């Protein structure tokens, strides 16, 4: 799962300190990924490809973008969960 975050370093600290996630990759301020068991979270900051404008110019944000976007690593779509959090579904390039 991908979460768009304002501050990648703060998100790393939050998930590793409070929820026992292990840091896998740290490319802050753009990106990091953490894992706990089978759950892997991709933490994408404002500099990441996931935060790029959608094809129609909209910025990814809660309540917004549900267009499929092809990025350098694959295809992604943003949807809002019931609490209004943007969640990215990601399909890596094959």
């Amino acid at each position: 799962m991908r979460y768009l975050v304002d501050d990648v370093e703060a998100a790393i600290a939050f998930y590793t300190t409070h929820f026992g996630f292990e840091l896998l990759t740290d490319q802050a301020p753009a990106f990091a990924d953490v894992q706990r068991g089978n759950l892997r979270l991709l933490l994408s900051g404002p500099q990441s490809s996931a935060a790029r404008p959608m094809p129609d110019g909209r910025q990814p944000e809660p309540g917004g973008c549900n267009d499929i976007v092809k990025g350098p690593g694959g295809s992604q779509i943003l949807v809002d969960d019931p609490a209004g959090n943007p969640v990215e579904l990601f399909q890596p390039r094959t």
Side-chain angles (χ1 to χ4, degrees), residues 7-92:
D7 184 330
V8 171
E9 292 175 355
I12 291 169
F14 178 77
Y15 285 103
T16 59
T17 302
H18 298 293
F19 295 107
F21 280 79
E22 173 189 355
L23 178 63
L24 299 177
T25 306
D26 184 351
Q27 297 295 322
F31 171 83
D33 64 332
V34 295
Q35 183 172 345
R36 181 171 181 208
N38 292 327
L39 177 60
R40 182 174 168 218
L41 296 180
L42 309 175
L43 307 170
S44 295
Q47 299 86 354
S48 70
S49 63
R52 293 184 317 196
M54 298 291 116
D56 65 2
R58 291 179 294 155
Q59 292 290 330
E61 60 185 349
C65 307
N66 59 1
D67 300 324
I68 296 175
V69 174
K70 296 200 182 283
S75 298
Q76 58 205 41
I77 185 169
L78 295 175
V79 296
D80 290 338
D81 74 5
N85 299 308
V87 176
E88 180 191 59
L89 303 176
F90 180 76
Q91 180 178 11

